[in-house]
Amino acid sequence: MIALPLFGFFALLTVGSALIVSFSRSIVYSGFALLGTFFGAAGFYLFLSSDFVAVTQVLIYVGGVLVLILFAIMLTNKIEDATTSNPSLNRIAGAVLTFVLFLFLVGILSGTDWVVQDEEKFASMVTPIGNALLSSYLLPFEVISIALLAALLGAVVLVRREVR
Amino acid sequence: MISLVHYLIVSILLFCIGVAGFLCRRNALVLFMSVELMLNAANLAFITFARFQGNPSGSVIAFFVMVVAAAEVAVGLAILVLVFKNRSSVDVNEISLMKG
């Protein structure tokens, strides 16, 4: 019975922080609100009995992506214009387009007969994920590791200073 | 009880907030954060389907999405810092050298 209030808490945390990320006037607030979204998503993954994905979410997103984004915020904005560095434009067109997309997605959600096979119980996903990664998804796994290596090398090459 | 539809509603909300932020903001960093929101929404949908189908493929694809997001952020922020060094602004309306 505690599941429903907890779900509501995580939904509020995730969606509320996402609203701050997208619509806050200060870009520093946006960056720190991203923390709430990532932790809320990790909470949902725990609800969905994907414990391993939840831990990875915290490690990669909070430990890696968020720190990188905060560093970039500090590097590209002066402190004095932190509150005005985040203007918006095209509000009406953006709102209309987003609303149309929202209606489209809700239409799909309500119009589809979702197949639910699993019953409601917690079962750890670590073993199935490991088996899938090392059997049917072995080639994509290797390819994506090389892609990640190439991207990281590319980032280093981009920002290094030329040495003669 | 909490069903598949509840998770998908949260996912849709997250995705639409990301799209709205991407369409309405001008600071390139906020565009990055909005893309992260959309990727998280997609991940949430993937994990939901994996859980309710009892099929680990959705979780594996969510991992791949995370890796792609990490790579995208690394390269994108490197480019952004370079653009800021050259033009001292990350406003996407002023980065129009290629007339896009």
Side-chain angles (χ1 to χ4, degrees):
Chain A
M1 273 302 98
I2 197 168
L4 206 57
L6 263 181
F7 183 88
F9 169 73
F10 279 125
L12 270 182
L13 177 69
T14 311
V15 176
S17 322
L19 282 171
I20 298 177
V21 170
S22 278
F23 302 113
S24 164
R25 285 188 55 80
S26 160
I27 188 167
V28 182
Y29 288 174
S30 291
F32 279 101
L34 207 53
L35 183 71
T37 311
F38 289 160
F39 268 120
F44 281 126
Y45 298 160
L46 280 183
F47 259 99
L48 291 162
S49 74
S50 301
D51 43 0
F52 190 51
V53 185
V55 173
T56 321
Q57 161 93 3
V58 173
L59 278 180
I60 293 185
Y61 271 113
V62 179
V65 171
L66 187 60
V67 171
L68 263 182
I69 288 181
L70 286 179
F71 261 107
I73 290 175
M74 304 301 173
L75 282 175
T76 56
N77 283 282
K78 300 171 193 70
I79 293 297
E80 59 264 28
D81 57 31
T83 51
T84 57
S85 59
N86 200 5
S88 56
L89 79 172
N90 294 340
R91 275 171 199 254
I92 297 171
V96 168
L97 271 176
T98 309
F99 190 65
V100 169
L101 177 71
F102 179 76
L103 288 183
F104 175 66
L105 289 175
V106 168
I108 292 178
L109 176 65
S110 56
T112 311
D113 191 17
W114 301 104
V115 180
V116 175
Q117 290 184 341
D118 218 352
E119 69 273 21
E120 288 278 332
K121 69 174 180 3
F122 187 90
S124 175
M125 290 283 272
V126 178
T127 316
I129 288 175
N131 284 334
L133 264 184
L134 290 182
S135 59
S136 48
Y137 288 96
L138 185 57
L139 184 64
F141 180 67
E142 297 294 340
V143 168
I144 207 154
S145 57
I146 292 176
L148 185 60
L149 179 67
L152 295 181
L153 285 179
V156 172
V157 169
L158 272 177
V159 295
R160 78 182 172 141
R161 204 166 279 144
E162 200 73 44
V163 181
R164 291 181 192 281
Chain B
M1 241 2 246
I2 309 159
S3 69
L4 181 140
V5 177
H6 293 93
Y7 291 103
L8 288 186
I9 288 172
V10 175
S11 175
I12 287 176
L13 280 176
L14 211 55
F15 191 85
C16 287
I17 293 170
V19 169
F22 192 87
L23 289 177
C24 295
R25 307 323 296 253
R26 289 200 319 215
N27 192 312
L29 276 162
V30 181
L31 300 192
F32 268 104
M33 294 187 222
S34 303
V35 170
E36 293 303 321
L37 288 185
M38 287 189 260
L39 287 171
N40 261 292
N43 259 354
L44 185 56
F46 271 128
I47 302 273
T48 305
F49 290 132
R51 166 73 177 83
F52 284 97
Q53 303 277 329
N55 184 347
S57 293
S59 306
V60 175
I61 291 174
F63 271 113
F64 291 161
V65 171
M66 278 187 197
V67 173
V68 170
E72 169 241 334
V73 161
V75 175
L77 291 183
I79 293 174
L80 209 62
V81 170
L82 274 187
V83 167
F84 183 75
K85 262 193 215 162
N86 285 333
R87 309 178 72 94
S88 48
S89 162
V90 286
D91 191 322
V92 287
N93 278 9
E94 292 173 19
I95 310 170
S96 56
L97 195 65
M98 295 174 83
K99 309 292 178 211

